[in-house]
Amino acid sequence: MPRCAHDAQHTPAGGPGPHGEQGTGEAYDYGPHQPSAPPPDDQGQSQAQGQAPPSPEGYPGRAAPAAPPPLPAERADLAAGTAPGIVAEQVIRAFGSVKAVNGLTFTAPRGAVTALVGPNGCGKSTLMLMLASLLAPDSGRVLINGVDPSVDSAAVRASVGWMPDQFGAWDSLRVAEVLEVMGRAYFLPSAQLKQRVDELLQLMDLVSLAQQPAHVLSRGQKQRLGLARALIHAPSVLILDEPASGLDPASRRRLLRVVRALAAEGTTVLISSHILTELEEMADHVVFMDSGRVVDAASVRDLAARPRPWKVASLNAQALTDALARLGVSHGEVLGPERTASGHAETVVPLPDEATASRLLTDLTAAKAQVISFGPAAGRLEAAYLASDAAHREGAL
Amino acid sequence: MSTQAPAPDAPAPQAPVGRRRALNSTLALRPRGLWLVISLELRQRIRSKRWYIALAGWTVVLLGIGALGMAPTLFTAQWGDVEPAAAMIFSLQIILVLFAMLLVVPALSAGSINGDRTAGTLATLQASLLSPLEIVLGKLLAGFATGMAFLVLALPSVIPIAVLGRIGPLYLLRIVVVIVLLTLCVTAVGLGLSAITNRQLGSVVLAYVVVFGVTVVLPFAWASSAFFLQYEREVTTYRTSYSDAEVDPVRCVETTRTETISRVDLSMPLMWGNPVVLLAETAPPMTGTYWGEDEGNADVLRMLKSGMRLTATIAHPAHNNSCEPGTEGYPDHLGEAPNRPLWPMGMALWMLAGAGSLGVATWRLAIPIKRLGAGTRIA
């Protein structure tokens, strides 16, 4: 990765970065800001409904603009009047003196993929155990399709497919047998079971491994088997804990396709991962967690309107420097072509949103900055995560 | 992403309904679910070479011991002497089989729950529609079936000696039944220990401690109690007097003196659960015809049974009467010492321990888990 780009990824939006920002250190202020909302409260209750006043700082890291129209799946859900796929309400779960989940509230709608993002130990897996009906909250409650696992655990388990972060398989069983056992554990009729197993082997590209013992599988193959196992009973809520861990690029693309297809069919998908770039492609919504609570929540579409660093590459370092100065844009150090992997002059500009980025590109071109490339230095999720306190703590992504 | 509060029409938890459903969900027992767990456990074992090696080793060792026990007798004794020797060797061989089962069975079951938890497969089953009771009973029956394989493979070494010793089929059947029941109970206890301990090694060791405690430690404690349960009291003994037989008829003479006796009958509950004592309870009495079985051929189990039954009523005055009935002065008022069996109490203890262990294991597997032991990972 080019040094410039690497540095840019670790530049908190709006703060001084490794490039040594010139100017005031504030964001590029090129026209009126979008209305911004204050950060969500501790329970992740987003107030981004388009009514919040503009932020006094220009563009706060967690500010959200006016809420976009609901996604098609949400519209369908609202029209149908059905309960959300997953609801967590003021959930607390402690292990001894450690509160793994501490007053967490969020909702994952049906027919959409919701990403859980947070540093190690922030309570993601504990939350998923509660959603999978394995662990009871100390207080608060979770609802799966409107059903509380502590009231009707069997109904919840029938509708939830859970893939744990560590794949545990019966080593001496063959791949197809693992799926068969899981199908029987969900009491699928024998007539359907064979067909379902074949479908999933096909879907997860495990046909050639069907007769192999599970213990010979690689980590990535085991992950694929784990996902197939979670899907065996066609659950309406899918909970995936680090499903992309250990997957090769092709398998990750397959995972993306499968997850998106399931969501399109109406499945509620909750997924945790540390690979933010892929989550960005996969997820409709994101919930940022830290210390057992939701610290931010937004749709991925909303994140486009949030501040993040943009990388500008130019054929001429001086032309770029002059253009930025003329436009009054605060930016990081302009690195000469000899210092970048691309061979172009590069700098990073923190910008409040994509609309502003578009205008800056137009103006840089007009100012003869000889721009050769212009794009986000970090993904939406990554930028939003890096702007949070959790990103700077031990155990962060 | 919406983060609003739950929909107003979301059902509020109803505690009694929830508890009833949770109980039903925990205790559901469906043949398909039970068979799935049994077959899953057995399938894993039959695909492991070490099990075949263990079974083969077990068979060879028991056959070898049987052969070594009988060979000297067969080569040196007259044919008429073979039968009592074989009966004695049979009882020793059975005790050996019992001890061997007690060594094998805890290893079969005492790691089956925490071992699966460590491997990450338990949570997968718990998150499915299988009930905790189906998982626990499935594992119990799979462990029991494996234990039975060891018992069946022990029979080729036992049956020829039983034939040589003219051991009655009912005696042999009773022995098998007791070993089967003990195997089932020890498997259940191992399963319970496996459910309450985090580490597989810990539960296996604990299971062995239980078996060792019942089999070895408690008999020592019982024997030691003889020193603490000594009482001085007047004892009246009745002996036949032959001194003046030519002048007077044979008569029963009463002698009373103060003796110290050990009331080990009071500490007998320590021996109720002893597997060897339970096994001995299957033996026919030392004397008398017993359903077509011979009345002779003493063996270790018969002697042990008689000894334990005597000890259980040691304070009864009838034990101090050595006169023949009909003798002049015979103490009719003493009556007969009761011959109370020990096995009902012993088996009841084991059954209670086994059932309790199954209950604990089922409770520990019930989800959603409210309290989690320190250091326990769900998945």
Side-chain angles (χ1 to χ4, degrees):
Chain A
M1 182 178 288
R3 184 185 159 197
C4 181
H6 176 80
D7 288 344
Q9 284 181 349
H10 291 81
T11 306
H19 284 74
E21 288 178 2
Q22 298 166 356
T24 62
E26 290 181 354
Y28 173 60
D29 190 5
Y30 201 72
H33 287 288
Q34 293 276 355
S36 300
D41 61 19
D42 284 347
Q43 285 76 44
Q45 301 280 11
S46 172
Q47 299 172 39
Q49 299 300 321
Q51 303 300 319
S55 165
E57 291 82 18
Y59 67 93
R62 292 173 194 162
L71 295 168
E74 285 177 312
R75 281 200 297 271
D77 189 36
L78 290 170
T82 51
I86 298 172
V87 172
E89 187 186 16
Q90 291 293 335
V91 175
I92 295 176
R93 177 71 212 198
F95 299 107
S97 60
V98 178
K99 280 192 175 175
V101 174
N102 188 8
L104 179 144
T105 296
F106 85 102
T107 302
R110 294 178 191 229
V113 180
T114 302
L116 273 184
V117 177
N120 293 333
C122 73
K124 298 188 298 288
S125 294
T126 302
L127 171 65
M128 289 184 159
L129 288 174
M130 288 189 274
L131 297 174
S133 195
L134 288 167
L135 189 64
D138 292 334
S139 67
R141 63 173 179 167
V142 295
L143 298 173
I144 302 291
N145 293 334
V147 181
D148 188 336
S150 62
V151 175
D152 195 349
S153 166
V156 168
R157 282 179 280 145
S159 60
V160 170
W162 170 63
M163 178 184 173
D165 59 342
Q166 287 184 339
F167 180 83
W170 302 277
D171 278 350
S172 55
L173 262 58
R174 300 184 184 95
V175 168
E177 285 176 330
V178 170
L179 295 180
E180 184 195 324
V181 163
M182 286 313 299
R184 293 192 189 286
Y186 284 100
F187 296 93
L188 294 187
S190 299
Q192 290 178 16
L193 184 57
K194 175 80 171 63
Q195 185 187 349
R196 184 68 182 150
V197 169
D198 290 343
E199 280 173 12
L200 288 171
L201 290 172
Q202 195 81 40
L203 183 71
M204 299 312 301
D205 191 26
L206 291 167
V207 175
S208 61
L209 299 168
Q211 297 308 316
Q212 294 293 322
H215 68 88
V216 305
L217 301 185
S218 69
R219 179 164 166 71
Q221 290 165 338
K222 283 182 177 176
Q223 289 292 88
R224 275 148 54 199
L225 177 56
L227 181 56
R229 198 172 64 176
L231 292 172
I232 190 76
H233 58 302
S236 62
V237 175
L238 188 60
I239 296 168
L240 307 176
D241 199 353
E242 303 284 351
S245 173
L247 291 184
D248 58 46
S251 298
R252 287 181 181 174
R253 300 307 300 174
R254 180 181 292 273
L255 174 68
L256 172 67
R257 285 198 304 274
V258 169
V259 166
R260 289 306 323 171
L262 288 167
E265 290 167 7
T267 304
T268 306
V269 183
L270 183 68
I271 184 168
S272 77
S273 177
H274 290 148
I275 306 167
L276 300 182
T277 48
E278 284 173 6
L279 274 187
E280 188 168 326
E281 283 187 80
M282 204 180 289
D284 301 301
H285 308 288
V286 61
V287 174
F288 292 99
M289 285 181 67
D290 189 26
S291 303
R293 58 179 68 197
V294 173
V295 293
D296 195 2
S299 76
V300 174
R301 185 184 295 173
D302 288 346
L303 294 179
R306 287 196 180 187
R308 60 175 157 157
W310 289 71
K311 188 164 75 175
V312 187
S314 168
L315 294 173
N316 187 314
Q318 193 56 50
L320 179 60
T321 306
D322 292 346
L324 288 169
R326 272 202 301 281
L327 293 170
V329 178
S330 65
H331 59 86
E333 181 188 358
V334 177
L335 301 173
E338 71 284 355
R339 294 171 62 188
T340 63
S342 64
H344 302 130
E346 288 180 358
T347 191
V348 173
V349 181
L351 294 173
D353 50 47
E354 288 181 346
T356 310
S358 174
R359 284 190 290 115
L360 174 62
L361 176 60
T362 306
D363 292 346
L364 284 173
T365 306
K368 300 190 177 355
Q370 299 186 42
V371 174
I372 188 74
S373 77
F374 183 87
R380 298 172 190 177
L381 280 185
E382 190 174 4
Y385 179 72
L386 291 175
S388 69
D389 294 338
H392 307 290
R393 196 167 307 124
E394 190 75 25
L397 300 179
Chain B
M1 177 66 205
S2 59
T3 55
Q4 74 275 20
D9 58 345
Q14 297 170 353
V17 176
R19 273 198 294 273
R20 195 165 55 243
R21 281 188 183 155
L23 198 63
N24 289 342
S25 173
T26 301
L27 300 180
L29 186 59
R30 294 149 293 191
R32 280 184 68 191
L34 188 61
W35 175 243
L36 173 66
V37 181
I38 294 172
S39 61
L40 178 61
E41 294 284 318
L42 290 179
R43 208 176 333 182
Q44 292 176 80
R45 282 177 188 159
I46 61 173
R47 288 187 184 167
S48 168
K49 281 182 187 168
R50 60 186 174 158
W51 282 104
Y52 293 103
I53 295 170
L55 288 169
W58 164 272
T59 310
V60 169
V61 166
L62 288 181
L63 281 172
I65 289 173
L68 285 173
M70 281 307 295
T73 308
L74 289 172
F75 277 108
T76 59
Q78 300 282 332
W79 182 247
D81 299 333
V82 167
E83 187 182 308
M88 188 61 75
I89 290 170
F90 167 79
S91 61
L92 291 172
Q93 180 85 338
I94 283 295
I95 292 173
L96 177 74
V97 168
L98 176 69
F99 277 124
M101 291 293 289
L102 293 176
L103 277 176
V104 168
V105 172
L108 296 176
S109 65
S112 60
I113 288 179
N114 49 16
D116 277 11
R117 188 178 283 134
T118 305
T121 51
L122 184 65
T124 307
L125 288 182
Q126 286 177 289
S128 74
L129 288 180
L130 290 172
S131 72
L133 185 60
E134 285 163 347
I135 297 173
V136 168
L137 283 185
K139 286 180 177 291
L140 170 76
L141 294 178
F144 174 66
T146 315
M148 287 303 95
F150 282 90
L151 180 60
V152 168
L153 289 174
L155 292 179
S157 67
V158 170
I159 288 176
I161 301 173
V163 171
L164 287 174
R166 284 188 60 225
I167 300 297
L170 284 178
Y171 181 14
L172 190 60
L173 182 65
R174 286 194 301 273
I175 283 172
V176 169
V177 168
V178 165
I179 293 179
V180 165
L181 289 176
L182 281 174
T183 301
L184 189 63
C185 294
V186 173
T187 306
V189 169
L191 208 59
L193 292 172
S194 177
I196 60 172
T197 50
N198 286 335
R199 296 189 178 195
Q200 193 168 353
L201 181 62
S203 53
V204 172
V205 168
L206 269 179
Y208 280 128
V209 166
V210 169
V211 168
F212 183 75
V214 173
T215 312
V216 178
V217 177
L218 287 184
F220 270 107
W222 178 68
S224 303
S225 71
F227 296 102
F228 304 106
L229 296 172
Q230 291 186 340
Y231 297 93
E232 284 201 344
R233 64 178 222 180
E234 285 191 342
V235 175
T236 303
T237 55
Y238 299 88
R239 288 196 179 87
T240 306
S241 170
Y242 298 98
S243 56
D244 298 328
E246 291 178 2
V247 180
D248 299 321
V250 174
R251 51 180 289 120
C252 198
V253 178
E254 175 184 324
T255 312
T256 301
R257 62 183 173 188
T258 301
E259 285 185 0
T260 300
I261 63 164
S262 293
R263 292 293 306 274
V264 285
D265 55 320
L266 298 177
S267 54
M268 187 56 77
L270 293 175
M271 296 297 287
W272 283 352
N274 186 287
V276 182
V277 170
L278 287 174
L279 192 65
E281 285 285 296
T282 63
M286 283 290 283
T287 56
T289 305
Y290 192 79
W291 267 79
E293 295 168 31
D294 70 285
E295 59 187 65
N297 294 340
D299 65 39
V300 174
L301 294 177
R302 286 181 175 187
M303 289 189 281
L304 185 60
K305 176 183 179 179
S306 300
M308 293 307 294
R309 295 259 176 116
L310 171 69
T311 315
T313 55
I314 197 164
H316 197 280
H319 290 310
N320 301 314
N321 174 23
S322 56
C323 298
E324 289 289 326
T327 311
E328 185 183 341
Y330 184 82
D332 290 316
H333 64 282
L334 295 180
E336 280 191 21
N339 186 24
R340 279 193 221 99
L342 299 175
W343 66 265
M345 285 83 80
M347 286 316 300
L349 278 180
W350 275 107
M351 294 285 184
L352 272 176
S357 299
L358 290 182
V360 167
T362 306
W363 171 66
R364 290 290 296 223
L365 292 193
I367 56 169
I369 298 167
K370 290 187 173 65
R371 279 191 299 178
L372 201 60
T376 305
R377 274 189 71 88
I378 296 176

